[in-house]
PDB file of all heavy atoms in Angstrom:
ATOM      1  N   VAL A1104      23.576  -5.987   6.674  1.00 69.00           N
ATOM      2  CA  VAL A1104      22.766  -6.294   5.496  1.00 69.00           C
ATOM      3  C   VAL A1104      22.932  -5.204   4.442  1.00 69.00           C
ATOM      4  O   VAL A1104      23.033  -5.480   3.238  1.00 69.00           O
ATOM      5  CB  VAL A1104      21.278  -6.457   5.881  1.00 69.00           C
ATOM      6  CG1 VAL A1104      20.410  -6.605   4.644  1.00 69.00           C
ATOM      7  CG2 VAL A1104      21.099  -7.666   6.782  1.00 69.00           C
ATOM      8  N   ASP A1105      22.978  -3.952   4.887  1.00 65.00           N
ATOM      9  CA  ASP A1105      23.100  -2.833   3.949  1.00 65.00           C
ATOM     10  C   ASP A1105      24.477  -2.821   3.279  1.00 65.00           C
ATOM     11  O   ASP A1105      24.598  -2.504   2.097  1.00 65.00           O
ATOM     12  CB  ASP A1105      22.867  -1.525   4.704  1.00 65.00           C
ATOM     13  CG  ASP A1105      22.612  -0.368   3.759  1.00 65.00           C
ATOM     14  OD1 ASP A1105      21.876  -0.558   2.780  1.00 65.00           O
ATOM     15  OD2 ASP A1105      23.166   0.714   3.998  1.00 65.00           O
ATOM     16  N   ARG A1106      25.506  -3.165   4.039  1.00 73.00           N
ATOM     17  CA  ARG A1106      26.868  -3.142   3.502  1.00 73.00           C
ATOM     18  C   ARG A1106      27.159  -4.371   2.645  1.00 73.00           C
ATOM     19  O   ARG A1106      27.783  -4.272   1.581  1.00 73.00           O
ATOM     20  CB  ARG A1106      27.876  -3.071   4.657  1.00 73.00           C
ATOM     21  CG  ARG A1106      27.800  -1.797   5.472  1.00 73.00           C
ATOM     22  CD  ARG A1106      28.449  -0.624   4.752  1.00 73.00           C
ATOM     23  NE  ARG A1106      28.319   0.613   5.509  1.00 73.00           N
ATOM     24  CZ  ARG A1106      29.153   0.987   6.465  1.00 73.00           C
ATOM     25  NH1 ARG A1106      30.167   0.206   6.798  1.00 73.00           N
ATOM     26  NH2 ARG A1106      28.976   2.140   7.082  1.00 73.00           N
ATOM     27  N   LEU A1107      26.740  -5.550   3.117  1.00 73.00           N
ATOM     28  CA  LEU A1107      27.087  -6.795   2.431  1.00 73.00           C
ATOM     29  C   LEU A1107      26.080  -7.174   1.349  1.00 73.00           C
ATOM     30  O   LEU A1107      26.389  -7.985   0.476  1.00 73.00           O
ATOM     31  CB  LEU A1107      27.190  -7.940   3.450  1.00 73.00           C
ATOM     32  CG  LEU A1107      28.206  -7.751   4.583  1.00 73.00           C
ATOM     33  CD1 LEU A1107      28.136  -8.922   5.555  1.00 73.00           C
ATOM     34  CD2 LEU A1107      29.614  -7.601   4.038  1.00 73.00           C
ATOM     35  N   GLY A1108      24.874  -6.614   1.421  1.00 74.00           N
ATOM     36  CA  GLY A1108      23.821  -6.995   0.482  1.00 74.00           C
ATOM     37  C   GLY A1108      22.932  -8.075   1.071  1.00 74.00           C
ATOM     38  O   GLY A1108      23.374  -8.894   1.877  1.00 74.00           O
ATOM     39  N   MET A1109      21.662  -8.064   0.656  1.00 74.00           N
ATOM     40  CA  MET A1109      20.694  -9.000   1.235  1.00 74.00           C
ATOM     41  C   MET A1109      21.046 -10.448   0.930  1.00 74.00           C
ATOM     42  O   MET A1109      21.000 -11.316   1.805  1.00 74.00           O
ATOM     43  CB  MET A1109      19.286  -8.684   0.713  1.00 74.00           C
ATOM     44  CG  MET A1109      18.726  -7.365   1.205  1.00 74.00           C
ATOM     45  SD  MET A1109      17.095  -7.046   0.508  1.00 74.00           S
ATOM     46  CE  MET A1109      17.479  -6.872  -1.226  1.00 74.00           C
ATOM     47  N   LYS A1110      21.388 -10.722  -0.314  1.00 80.00           N
ATOM     48  CA  LYS A1110      21.609 -12.111  -0.725  1.00 80.00           C
ATOM     49  C   LYS A1110      22.848 -12.705  -0.052  1.00 80.00           C
ATOM     50  O   LYS A1110      22.819 -13.819   0.465  1.00 80.00           O
ATOM     51  CB  LYS A1110      21.702 -12.179  -2.252  1.00 80.00           C
ATOM     52  CG  LYS A1110      20.383 -11.876  -2.938  1.00 80.00           C
ATOM     53  CD  LYS A1110      20.488 -11.979  -4.430  1.00 80.00           C
ATOM     54  CE  LYS A1110      21.022 -10.710  -5.056  1.00 80.00           C
ATOM     55  NZ  LYS A1110      20.104  -9.569  -4.918  1.00 80.00           N
ATOM     56  N   PHE A1111      23.930 -11.948  -0.031  1.00 83.00           N
ATOM     57  CA  PHE A1111      25.141 -12.431   0.632  1.00 83.00           C
ATOM     58  C   PHE A1111      24.902 -12.596   2.133  1.00 83.00           C
ATOM     59  O   PHE A1111      25.389 -13.548   2.756  1.00 83.00           O
ATOM     60  CB  PHE A1111      26.307 -11.468   0.386  1.00 83.00           C
ATOM     61  CG  PHE A1111      27.598 -11.914   1.013  1.00 83.00           C
ATOM     62  CD1 PHE A1111      28.395 -12.865   0.395  1.00 83.00           C
ATOM     63  CD2 PHE A1111      28.012 -11.383   2.229  1.00 83.00           C
ATOM     64  CE1 PHE A1111      29.580 -13.278   0.973  1.00 83.00           C
ATOM     65  CE2 PHE A1111      29.195 -11.785   2.821  1.00 83.00           C
ATOM     66  CZ  PHE A1111      29.980 -12.745   2.182  1.00 83.00           C
ATOM     67  N   SER A1112      24.139 -11.668   2.730  1.00 82.00           N
ATOM     68  CA  SER A1112      23.861 -11.730   4.170  1.00 82.00           C
ATOM     69  C   SER A1112      23.057 -12.968   4.524  1.00 82.00           C
ATOM     70  O   SER A1112      23.314 -13.626   5.538  1.00 82.00           O
ATOM     71  CB  SER A1112      23.119 -10.469   4.615  1.00 82.00           C
ATOM     72  OG  SER A1112      23.898  -9.313   4.399  1.00 82.00           O
ATOM     73  N   ILE A1113      22.063 -13.296   3.684  1.00 85.00           N
ATOM     74  CA  ILE A1113      21.261 -14.494   3.947  1.00 85.00           C
ATOM     75  C   ILE A1113      22.131 -15.739   3.949  1.00 85.00           C
ATOM     76  O   ILE A1113      22.029 -16.593   4.842  1.00 85.00           O
ATOM     77  CB  ILE A1113      20.123 -14.609   2.911  1.00 85.00           C
ATOM     78  CG1 ILE A1113      19.026 -13.584   3.216  1.00 85.00           C
ATOM     79  CG2 ILE A1113      19.533 -16.020   2.896  1.00 85.00           C
ATOM     80  CD1 ILE A1113      17.908 -13.563   2.207  1.00 85.00           C
ATOM     81  N   MET A1114      23.018 -15.850   2.971  1.00 87.00           N
ATOM     82  CA  MET A1114      23.904 -17.011   2.912  1.00 87.00           C
ATOM     83  C   MET A1114      24.856 -17.025   4.103  1.00 87.00           C
ATOM     84  O   MET A1114      25.091 -18.071   4.728  1.00 87.00           O
ATOM     85  CB  MET A1114      24.698 -17.001   1.604  1.00 87.00           C
ATOM     86  CG  MET A1114      23.875 -17.282   0.363  1.00 87.00           C
ATOM     87  SD  MET A1114      22.969 -18.853   0.459  1.00 87.00           S
ATOM     88  CE  MET A1114      24.312 -20.007   0.716  1.00 87.00           C
ATOM     89  N   LEU A1115      25.406 -15.869   4.444  1.00 87.00           N
ATOM     90  CA  LEU A1115      26.364 -15.783   5.540  1.00 87.00           C
ATOM     91  C   LEU A1115      25.723 -16.183   6.869  1.00 87.00           C
ATOM     92  O   LEU A1115      26.248 -17.041   7.594  1.00 87.00           O
ATOM     93  CB  LEU A1115      26.922 -14.361   5.632  1.00 87.00           C
ATOM     94  CG  LEU A1115      27.838 -14.074   6.831  1.00 87.00           C
ATOM     95  CD1 LEU A1115      29.105 -14.920   6.737  1.00 87.00           C
ATOM     96  CD2 LEU A1115      28.182 -12.587   6.906  1.00 87.00           C
ATOM     97  N   PHE A1116      24.574 -15.576   7.181  1.00 87.00           N
ATOM     98  CA  PHE A1116      23.948 -15.830   8.475  1.00 87.00           C
ATOM     99  C   PHE A1116      23.403 -17.258   8.570  1.00 87.00           C
ATOM    100  O   PHE A1116      23.455 -17.877   9.636  1.00 87.00           O
ATOM    101  CB  PHE A1116      22.827 -14.810   8.726  1.00 87.00           C
ATOM    102  CG  PHE A1116      23.314 -13.392   8.780  1.00 87.00           C
ATOM    103  CD1 PHE A1116      22.569 -12.365   8.216  1.00 87.00           C
ATOM    104  CD2 PHE A1116      24.521 -13.077   9.377  1.00 87.00           C
ATOM    105  CE1 PHE A1116      23.018 -11.053   8.258  1.00 87.00           C
ATOM    106  CE2 PHE A1116      24.984 -11.767   9.424  1.00 87.00           C
ATOM    107  CZ  PHE A1116      24.226 -10.756   8.866  1.00 87.00           C
TER     108      PHE A1116
END
Side-chain angles (χ1 to χ4, degrees):
V1104 173
D1105 195 42
R1106 295 283 177 85
L1107 302 177
M1109 292 178 295
K1110 292 181 276 293
F1111 181 81
S1112 298
I1113 286 177
M1114 290 304 302
L1115 174 64
F1116 298 141

